[in-house]
């Protein structure tokens, strides 16, 4: 029988890197609650992320996102938290996570991100919808952000297509880390 899992895990990475799908399955496997910062923003603000960007702008969104992450990290219990793709880019968010959570960068290459995003509604993603060429924008954002994402505690290759298999692998890795801290 596995020991209860007592850590907070924060999943970091680009849109469509699987933070929510892998995160839900990871939380189920670890037996801890799952939260998604975008979903929390939407329910607290009473509007979608796209509407938030359109009405109040990106800076206001980032501020609201920061407050939301702070609230989610304030509790004592273990959890898996999927962070919106830009949240970890904010230094205060990285600071909040330090010492309170184990951050995991789900790394997916630009080509695979584009393939996944082609199956979704781009209009719901303001940073892409507002760009003349969203495919190029993905590659650009990844190049801009990767050095910061790499500051996460763990870098996990999430290019494989099956979120359940990825969650199984990641749960195993996180449990082994707990049992054999370096
Ligand atoms: C963003 C990613 C989105 C959402 C917003 C901005 C980003 O979240 O927070 O559209 O800056 O990468 P997901 O990564 O959950 O799609």
């Amino acid at each position: 029988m596995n020991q209860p899992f007592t850590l907070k895990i924060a999943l970091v990475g680009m849109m469509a890197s699987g933070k929510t799908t892998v995160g839900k399955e990871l939380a189920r496997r670890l037996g801890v609650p799952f939260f998604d910062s975008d979903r929390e923003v939407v329910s607290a603000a009473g509007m979608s992320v796209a509407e938030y960007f359109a009405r109040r702008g990106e800076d206001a969104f980032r501020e609201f996102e920061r407050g939301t992450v702070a609230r989610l990290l304030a509790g004592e219990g273990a959890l898996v938290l999927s962070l919106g793709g830009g949240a970890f880019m904010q230094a205060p968010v990285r600071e909040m996570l330090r010492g309170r959570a184990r951050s995991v960068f789900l790394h997916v290459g630009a080509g695979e991100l584009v393939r996944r995003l082609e199956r979704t509604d781009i209009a719901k993603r303001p940073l892409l919808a507002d760009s003349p060429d969203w495919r190029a924008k993905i590659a650009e954002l990844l190049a801009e952000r990767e050095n910061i994402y790499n500051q996460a505690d763990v870098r996990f290759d999430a290019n494989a297509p099956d979120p359940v298999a990825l969650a199984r692998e990641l749960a195993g890795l996180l449990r082994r880390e707990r049992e054999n801290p370096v």
Side-chain angles (χ1 to χ4, degrees):
M1 183 61 198
N2 284 322
Q3 294 294 318
F5 196 80
T6 53
L7 278 186
K8 289 181 170 59
I9 303 295
L11 298 182
V12 170
M14 289 286 288
M15 301 169 231
S17 59
K19 295 174 305 240
T20 303
T21 40
V22 173
K24 279 186 184 160
E25 177 63 16
L26 178 67
R28 196 188 65 75
R29 283 173 180 271
L30 296 176
V32 304
F34 173 77
F35 295 92
D36 177 307
S37 69
D38 280 342
R39 213 173 54 197
E40 296 290 321
V41 167
V42 168
S43 76
M47 63 182 115
S48 71
V49 171
E51 260 180 280
Y52 204 112
F53 268 68
R55 288 206 209 160
R56 302 192 182 154
E58 180 170 356
D59 289 352
F61 175 81
R62 296 302 175 198
E63 193 182 329
F64 202 90
E65 181 177 56
R66 249 184 345 262
T68 303
V69 174
R71 174 171 61 77
L72 291 167
L73 291 175
E76 281 306 309
L79 53 75
V80 172
L81 169 60
S82 152
L83 291 176
F88 196 72
M89 299 307 294
Q90 304 193 53
V93 169
R94 296 198 294 281
E95 189 52 42
M96 277 180 231
L97 290 168
R98 205 163 294 139
R100 296 198 59 79
R102 192 106 183 109
S103 51
V104 179
F105 169 28
L106 297 187
H107 176 261
V108 176
E112 175 61 17
L113 291 173
V114 167
R115 271 190 291 283
R116 293 181 191 181
L117 285 161
E118 272 165 350
R119 302 193 293 261
T120 72
D121 182 2
I122 296 298
K124 292 190 176 154
R125 302 182 186 269
L127 289 184
L128 302 183
D130 294 346
S131 157
D133 178 350
W134 68 263
R135 292 172 181 81
K137 180 74 182 181
I138 279 291
E140 220 174 87
L141 279 175
L142 180 59
E144 251 171 56
R145 292 176 168 183
E146 201 164 0
N147 280 342
I148 300 282
Y149 286 156
N150 275 326
Q151 292 178 20
D153 300 314
V154 177
R155 186 182 205 267
F156 183 76
D157 181 343
N159 280 285
D162 178 1
V164 174
L166 288 171
R168 187 188 318 123
E169 194 188 326
L170 184 53
L173 186 149
L174 293 168
R175 281 195 188 281
R176 282 194 301 281
E177 267 191 0
R178 283 304 270 169
E179 284 153 21
N180 309 295
V182 274

